[in-house]
Amino acid sequence: MIDIQKIRAEFPILKEQVNGKPLVYFDNAATSQKPQVVIDAIVDYYSKINANIHRGVHTLSQVATDAYEEARIKLQKHFNAKKSYEIILTAGTTHSINIVATGFTSLLKKGDEIIVSALEHHSNIVPWQMLCERTGAILKVIPMSTSGELKMDVYEELLSEKTKLVFSNHISNALGTINPIKEIIDKAHAVGAAVLIDGAQACPHIKPDVQELDVDFYVASAHKLCGPTGVGILYGKEEWLNKLPPYQGGGEMIETVTFEKTTYAGLPHKFEAGTPNIAGGIAFGVAIDYMNSVGFENIAAYEDELLVYGTEKLLEIEGLKIYGTAEKKAAVISFNLEGIHPFDVGSILDKLGVAVRTGHHCAQPIMDFYKIPGTVRASFAFYNTKEEIDVLVAGVKRAQMMLS
Ligand SMILES: *Cc1c(COP(=O)(O)O)cnc(C)c1O
């Protein structure tokens, strides 16, 4: 069970007013808010232990290194990775995807095929297009249905010996669809292809088990699950991380350097060149602890209640259409009012203190599919309430009155 009053009290921003109205924050799919423990972790780090890691012999450097490596262990346990060095700390999902996409340049040849889902975020499309340009590989797309679900029968037809890589998000940020990733992974493995799953949108709602999924790469950003911006993870199976070349050269990622030849450090340091976001990494670990203390089962059940309630209330509005009606769906509602531009709805909601996202949500191909310029997207988190949904619904009604 979620003790909503207790949880809300832990997020200082929820007491803020925006445009003279209490903040109703429904842009959680873009970034989540931060509980006090995460904010404290960042302040404490800079106030008490700030030092560079993995280098100094002095005490603070060792304390900082221990705290940073402890965060890695927390992440290893959370995602159930076999080894802690299979967890690479990165700047976030986009960075993680680019490490893999760039690394595959030397592993692909002309005519090889890469499959991506039609539900992708731009950060999961563009790096693969760039990879295809570099290698002559061909990009294929798993199409989607009007409900926002992937056509798995077409996926099966696309798979062949030529398929080297498959990419899908775990949950679509634009529509909320929960994709059948276990099936995607197993079918790809049957033809010998590797799979990368973008978990940026899934990790705030569910706890993935990378060994059970048998996934080759899994990526996520801390800021979507109550952690700070600018830090994330790349989980990779040890054998894959060993096959991939380093992404960036620099300090920390080397074993020995001479002007003739440099040898690279082992995992995870091979992929962690330069001074990382140390405070961010530590706070990421704290955010994971916090989310686990609330409990992912509780979070999922409560958010599902919000989703059902919000869907029902919004659909009572005449002329409102919801995009993305998959059977398995996370707490994201993408919608439009007939004849009204989503941006105008979003602007009126903002004046009422309600934060939603409007636009294409970094997923233009999905908007093209529905032939719309964008949607209004309300995405819920476990610290939101039904009362806040009522404020949203009243605001949407008001926008409709003012704009039609
Ligand atoms: C937010 C998001 C990303 C990008 O994450 P960054 O933290 O901006 O790198 C990628 N994929 C999905 C599904 C997302 O929701």
Side-chain angles (χ1 to χ4, degrees), residues 28-31 91-97 119-124 168-174 198-202 219-224 229-232 361-362 377:
N28 294 287
T31 197
T93 303
T94 305
H95 181 205
S96 300
I97 292 172
L119 286 169
E120 293 317 301
H121 189 280
H122 293 165
S123 73
N124 216 357
S168 172
N169 55 37
H170 192 165
I171 293 184
S172 155
N173 65 303
D198 171 356
Q201 208 56 241
V219 299
S221 297
H223 71 93
K224 297 215 173 141
T229 56
V231 62
H361 318 300
C362 297
R377 181 186 68 187

Side-chain angles (χ1 to χ4, degrees), residues 140-190:
K140 304 242 161 161
V141 180
I142 314 170
M144 61 184 257
S145 66
T146 337
S147 62
E149 286 160 298
L150 294 176
K151 295 190 171 166
M152 294 300 283
D153 49 335
V154 183
Y155 172 52
E156 263 182 77
E157 286 164 19
L158 290 177
L159 284 165
S160 76
E161 313 276 84
K162 287 188 197 153
T163 316
K164 293 296 176 280
L165 280 165
V166 175
F167 301 97
S168 172
N169 55 37
H170 192 165
I171 293 184
S172 155
N173 65 303
L175 303 178
T177 310
I178 303 176
N179 290 311
I181 58 164
K182 182 63 184 150
E183 199 182 330
I184 291 174
I185 294 163
D186 289 348
K187 297 217 158 106
H189 284 170

Side-chain angles (χ1 to χ4, degrees), residues 2 6 13 27 52 55 94 123 154 166 168 191 195 197 212 221 243 258 307 335 346 349 358 378 390:
I2 294 269
K6 175 172 174 284
I13 209 168
D27 197 15
N52 212 329
R55 323 185 167 184
T94 305
S123 73
V154 183
V166 175
S168 172
V191 298
V195 182
I197 297 293
E212 192 185 303
S221 297
K243 262 185 234 171
T258 67
L307 175 66
F335 65 91
L349 288 173
T358 64
D390 292 339

